[in-house]
Amino acid sequence: GIQPDFSQQCNCFSEVWYISDNIRKRHQAILKNNYIDFSDGETETENNDDNDPTTSFININISDCSPQNQALLWLAQDNLETIFYTSQALMNRFLLAFLYFSFDGSRWKRRSNWLTNEQECTWEGVTCDDDGGDETTTT
């Protein structure tokens, strides 16, 4: 079946109540296989900032409506086995999706290409610095 929109589920039910098996598996794979590397040398007990999108990331509940989980679920809609993203691109996409869900992006007037399969540098308001090093995105 078709996956209902995660944000709409959160708005109506205060939780994500339906998650397809494929998305559920990819969500777990992102966490288990470290597709996104959030390590910064701190242990989980040292990193205790509630505003940090990576805090308690591994222990996130899949039905949670937090911006972190909505961003993860959005990423999990892509088949990560067939779509190649660098770890930096995955991090960029996660962090931009986190911003979108944190600041109610569905109400933004300028949100063209946001949360699409388009490369994140094409998302309205995002610029990328591609000088041969890691890609950097800013909004």
Side-chain angles (χ1 to χ4, degrees):
I2 296 175
Q3 174 65 52
D5 182 87
F6 302 117
S7 293
Q8 289 178 358
Q9 291 184 61
C10 287
N11 290 339
C12 292
F13 306 107
S14 299
E15 70 176 349
V16 181
W17 56 271
Y18 177 81
I19 303 165
S20 73
D21 288 338
N22 285 339
I23 292 174
R24 192 175 293 275
K25 288 175 188 173
R26 290 181 195 132
H27 183 278
Q28 291 305 313
I30 290 169
L31 296 176
K32 180 181 175 190
N33 298 322
N34 294 321
Y35 282 136
I36 303 173
D37 181 11
F38 291 110
S39 63
D40 62 359
E42 296 182 20
T43 64
E44 188 171 327
T45 55
E46 292 172 346
N47 187 0
N48 218 5
D49 181 359
D50 288 341
N51 295 319
D52 181 349
T54 64
T55 299
S56 302
F57 191 74
I58 300 301
N59 299 321
I60 201 162
N61 183 328
I62 195 168
S63 63
D64 186 44
C65 285
S66 68
Q68 293 96 326
N69 193 51
Q70 288 188 64
L72 262 180
L73 288 168
W74 173 76
L75 269 182
Q77 291 180 92
D78 284 340
N79 187 345
L80 300 176
E81 292 78 34
T82 60
I83 298 175
F84 176 76
Y85 293 117
T86 64
S87 61
Q88 185 65 44
L90 275 175
M91 178 64 88
N92 290 344
R93 292 175 78 78
F94 170 78
L95 291 173
L96 288 167
F98 172 76
L99 285 172
Y100 182 90
F101 291 116
S102 292
F103 295 103
D104 203 8
S106 63
R107 295 178 185 248
W108 296 349
K109 291 182 180 178
R110 298 180 57 208
R111 64 176 192 270
S112 192
N113 282 348
W114 278 77
L115 302 187
T116 66
N117 288 335
E118 297 295 321
Q119 205 267 345
E120 62 273 10
C121 294
T122 68
W123 297 1
E124 190 169 4
V126 175
T127 56
C128 296
D129 178 21
D130 191 16
D131 61 359
D134 283 340
E135 179 179 328
T136 309
T137 60
T138 58
T139 56

